[in-house]
Amino acid sequence: MCNMTFEETGGENSVERMESVAQALEEVLSSALPQGCITVGVYEAAKSLNVDPDNVVLCLLATDDEEDVALQIHFTLIQAFCCENDINILRVGNMRRLAEIQPGGEPMDVHCVLVTNPQSALWKNPALSKVNRFCRDCRCLDQWVPLINLPDR
């Protein structure tokens, strides 16, 4: 059951909420990375989803390559799999900013990023709860794959 007020679904309050969720998403990625809880790349994500979908807590799909038909087909399949397995999905604008979250080294394919649970059940991140709540609220509004734009730094 979804009980959202007008203020929660539109207006300036929604802009502030989107910025808050974008900050929470950055925090989730920053804390998950050192724990080894990030899978980067379309093919790597597909393998991880196939092996252990119950371990995945969030799927991020980039919006920057909308004209790449093959990539969009992969996204459609990943989205369907995530929906079937109750995995929250976000489309993320500003792929360059998403790539910056990854530490140095080779440029990686950040078209798809999965956040997984660490082996210990101690990782209770309030930022992840905020992102998950945002995804749940968007589903209540029939926005199954909401878009978040990561701000430039």
Side-chain angles (χ1 to χ4, degrees):
M1 178 175 190
C2 296
N3 295 321
M4 296 189 69
T5 65
F6 175 74
E7 290 81 18
E8 292 173 319
T9 60
E12 285 185 36
N13 207 12
S14 68
V15 172
E16 291 172 8
R17 184 171 189 217
M18 294 292 269
E19 290 172 359
S20 173
V21 171
Q23 289 174 343
L25 178 58
E26 285 189 51
E27 188 178 319
V28 166
L29 294 171
S30 297
S31 62
L33 189 62
Q35 297 182 46
C37 297
I38 299 278
T39 301
V40 179
V42 173
Y43 296 109
E44 292 78 5
K47 286 184 220 172
S48 181
L49 287 168
N50 187 47
V51 172
D52 191 9
D54 294 335
N55 199 34
V56 178
V57 294
L58 182 64
C59 176
L60 307 175
L61 301 172
T63 62
D64 295 3
D65 276 335
E66 299 272 325
E67 64 276 350
D68 185 343
V69 175
L71 187 59
Q72 293 308 312
I73 291 170
H74 288 295
F75 281 2
T76 301
L77 294 171
I78 289 171
Q79 287 175 21
F81 188 88
C82 288
C83 287
E84 184 70 25
N85 288 280
D86 296 322
I87 298 168
N88 288 321
I89 313 165
L90 285 174
R91 293 295 302 249
V92 178
N94 197 351
M95 199 165 92
R96 182 186 53 75
R97 179 69 187 113
L98 185 59
E100 289 173 1
I101 293 172
Q102 286 289 324
E106 294 181 24
M108 301 185 89
D109 169 21
V110 291
H111 288 102
C112 183
V113 176
L114 298 180
V115 178
T116 57
N117 274 323
Q119 295 304 319
S120 71
L122 300 175
W123 194 57
K124 297 289 183 195
N125 189 329
L128 180 60
S129 295
K130 180 182 264 189
V131 171
N132 286 337
R133 188 171 43 254
F134 173 76
C135 291
R136 185 191 66 233
D137 292 347
C138 287
R139 281 192 303 273
C140 290
L141 298 171
D142 287 332
Q143 297 172 355
W144 289 90
V145 185
L147 171 67
I148 291 289
N149 285 308
L150 292 175
D152 285 320
R153 297 274 174 198

